[in-house]
Amino acid sequence: MVVCNTPAANAPAVAEHTITLLLAASKRLLAADARVREGDWDHTECMNRELGGTTLGLFGFGRIARLVAERAGGIGMRCVAYDPYVNP
């Protein structure tokens, strides 16, 4: 068995998954899916908020958080971060 440290190997995938979960939560995707499966389609439930122009707070600003900020900026979000180990 080989054990090795690959700190950057999955950072992009984790950042993309974070954005996916952010979008799903903000659009109430699971609740909308459940209602559609029950035969009740109320499209107004999914048209809640756009993320462009909102602010995303990141606690820590390491490799993954930087990638999340980059991707969030791509959809028009403003990102702020707190990390005591990173220079402003």
Side-chain angles (χ1 to χ4, degrees), residues 17-21 27 29 34 49 52 59 62 70 74-76 83:
H17 189 67
T18 301
I19 294 296
T20 300
L21 294 175
K27 301 295 182 184
L29 191 60
R49 135 172 40 170
F59 292 94
E70 180 181 299
I75 57 175
D83 191 325

Side-chain angles (χ1 to χ4, degrees), residues 3-78:
V3 177
C4 57
N5 181 18
T6 57
N10 67 346
V14 173
E16 290 172 6
H17 189 67
T18 301
I19 294 296
T20 300
L21 294 175
L22 179 67
L23 289 167
S26 71
K27 301 295 182 184
R28 300 182 197 152
L29 191 60
L30 291 178
D33 177 66
R35 293 191 69 174
V36 168
R37 290 175 189 273
E38 293 169 358
D40 179 19
W41 171 241
D42 181 6
H43 72 281
T44 59
E45 292 240 354
C46 298
M47 299 175 60
N48 44 22
R49 135 172 40 170
E50 294 181 2
L51 293 178
T54 61
T55 301
L56 175 63
L58 300 164
F59 292 94
F61 203 56
R63 182 177 292 115
I64 293 170
R66 289 172 197 258
L67 291 173
V68 169
E70 180 181 299
R71 284 150 176 75
I75 57 175
M77 297 183 77
R78 176 178 174 264

